[in-house]
Amino acid sequence: MTIRSKHVKSAYFALAAVAVLTSVTAQTAGAAPTFHSTHSAPARGTSHRIPFTAAVVTAQDDGSYKITWKAPGVKRVAVHANGRVVATGGSTGSVMVRGLPATADRQWFDLVPDKGDKLHLADRLVKLDGMDNFRDVGGYRTADGRWVKMGVVYRSGALNNLTAADLAKLKRLGISVDYDLRMTSERTAGPDRLPRGVRYVVANVTGDSAGTGLPTTVASAEQLMTDGEKSMVSSATAKDAYSQVFGGIGADADGVLYHCSAGKDRTGWASAALLTALGVPRETVYTDYLASNTYRAASNAAALAAMAPAQAAVYKPLLDVRPEYLDAGFQEVKDAYGSFASYEKKALGLDAKDINKLKSQLLMN
């Protein structure tokens, strides 16, 4: 058995176990965590660019919103919502906005500086009754000072538990195409529920090959996850699946959704690769990847609580996302392709023209 064949088999069993574990309990909506954008140096020549080097919107449990930002060189920032100014501040700000309508699917804010372009943001989490890890891929700053648009591409876990209200919300969000990254057994056990008119595309990352069995120790579980991450980079099925997703985003990004079972591993690599291709700093890519631990905290805890302690210890690494898992993916890129640009071209079929098209679709400024 070759090393990469071993990675594929490991991925199959690791993800099969995750699929089982995530169905142990019903999904429990998690609270939105607070994330801080990577603070990178302002890009040169920013007089006609977005001057913000950091900004984030976080919905609070009481219906209010915390908005923070940094915009070096700016004297005044006005925060707009629903057609009016709801807060103001200077080049660095942290404000709480209260009293906005509770009926909005997503509450959007425009951060308008006294010079440069505005920033259009919402809380990254889209709250659904039947899924706890449905979120916006955008809202991150690139190394060259641009921002990934929000409200365009979304990521999620399995959609089989969505309620009628959830489906109506996805319709209003404008979801137009759904890339299902799961294997056949997962899709059969939990078919996606989608609004009418959404195009459904199977993009099976792992394939359906047989493997060697589920882990019996913590170390073997951790090894399954790192091997699985490597397979998402270099296996033939993963390359075909992610090429399909990235090609679709490049052709028409508006309303794209991609998902797996928990929205953290196959979906996690899709987002890590996409954000990297767009020029988002590696630190921010890791922040986005690790956010699944927070969004899925309640569901993971419920799944582990249903097991005996010894079993829970073995399976916890399968429910987590950890820096070393994503490390393994980026190391596989280096080992198998030499550079991320080479991975984009050889594995995903994306040349410089394709990457520029992705950026034109997904980046502001």
Side-chain angles (χ1 to χ4, degrees):
M1 182 188 301
T2 65
I3 292 176
R4 287 198 167 84
S5 176
K6 174 177 173 288
H7 292 165
V8 172
K9 292 179 184 295
S10 296
Y12 179 86
F13 272 92
L15 297 172
V18 169
V20 171
L21 294 176
T22 55
S23 64
V24 168
T25 62
Q27 300 285 355
T28 303
T34 299
F35 297 116
H36 300 284
S37 302
T38 299
H39 297 179
S40 48
R44 293 181 180 180
T46 58
S47 59
H48 298 290
R49 305 186 66 161
I50 296 172
F52 297 93
T53 58
V56 66
V57 172
T58 307
Q60 308 296 304
D61 291 338
D62 64 358
S64 63
Y65 296 86
K66 182 179 181 180
I67 307 168
T68 62
W69 68 84
K70 287 190 175 182
V74 167
K75 293 183 179 179
R76 183 178 185 273
V77 172
V79 179
H80 295 243
N82 305 339
R84 62 187 179 92
V85 176
V86 294
T88 59
S91 62
T92 298
S94 178
V95 299
M96 295 293 297
V97 177
R98 297 179 172 85
L100 296 177
T103 56
D105 287 338
R106 298 185 78 187
Q107 179 60 61
W108 289 91
F109 296 89
D110 286 329
L111 278 62
V112 183
D114 58 6
K115 60 179 179 180
D117 291 337
K118 70 180 182 181
L119 190 57
H120 190 56
L121 295 177
D123 187 281
R124 190 163 287 108
L125 180 69
V126 178
K127 292 186 177 180
L128 300 174
D129 295 327
M131 163 45 47
D132 56 9
N133 198 13
F134 192 108
R135 47 190 162 120
D136 201 309
V137 173
Y140 294 117
R141 189 176 188 266
T142 65
D144 65 359
R146 292 181 284 182
W147 285 77
V148 183
K149 294 177 185 177
M150 300 195 82
V152 180
V153 178
Y154 297 89
R155 54 175 291 175
S156 180
L159 306 176
N160 56 297
N161 289 321
L162 296 188
T163 65
D166 292 337
L167 295 178
K169 182 176 286 190
L170 295 195
K171 186 73 172 179
R172 293 191 295 271
L173 287 178
I175 302 300
S176 60
V177 59
D178 165 32
Y179 291 95
D180 191 338
L181 309 181
R182 300 176 299 165
M183 62 187 81
T184 301
S185 60
E186 295 170 281
R187 300 194 309 272
T188 301
D192 280 0
R193 297 196 68 211
L194 296 168
R196 182 173 297 178
V198 174
R199 184 164 61 92
Y200 176 74
V201 180
V202 173
N204 186 340
V205 170
T206 64
D208 300 310
S209 61
T212 57
L214 295 174
T216 57
T217 66
V218 172
S220 62
E222 292 169 343
Q223 188 64 52
L224 275 178
M225 296 305 289
T226 55
D227 286 347
E229 197 75 23
K230 293 176 183 178
S231 79
M232 294 176 208
V233 173
S234 56
S235 73
T237 54
K239 288 187 286 187
D240 288 344
Y242 290 129
S243 294
Q244 193 172 12
V245 174
F246 277 62
I249 294 174
D252 185 2
D254 197 21
V256 168
L257 165 65
Y258 51 81
H259 78 92
C260 53
S261 283
K264 69 184 188 69
D265 299 312
R266 290 158 288 186
T267 297
W269 179 253
S271 289
L274 178 59
L275 293 175
T276 300
L278 294 174
V280 173
R282 186 64 56 87
E283 179 185 354
T284 307
V285 171
Y286 273 77
T287 297
D288 180 72
Y289 174 78
L290 294 171
S292 287
N293 285 333
T294 303
Y295 290 123
R296 288 193 49 79
S299 294
N300 289 349
L304 294 173
M307 305 175 193
Q311 184 185 30
V314 171
Y315 285 126
K316 186 177 187 302
L318 303 181
L319 294 177
D320 288 347
V321 285
R322 300 180 179 181
E324 55 265 33
Y325 300 166
L326 193 54
D327 288 344
F330 282 117
Q331 186 61 48
E332 182 71 3
V333 167
K334 183 177 180 180
D335 293 343
Y337 302 99
S339 68
F340 198 85
S342 180
Y343 166 71
E344 292 169 343
K345 185 173 183 179
K346 294 179 180 179
L348 303 180
L350 302 173
D351 58 21
K353 182 178 179 181
D354 296 321
I355 297 299
N356 285 335
K357 187 174 182 181
L358 275 176
K359 290 181 176 180
S360 69
Q361 292 248 33
L362 295 177
L363 296 182
M364 294 183 284
N365 271 304

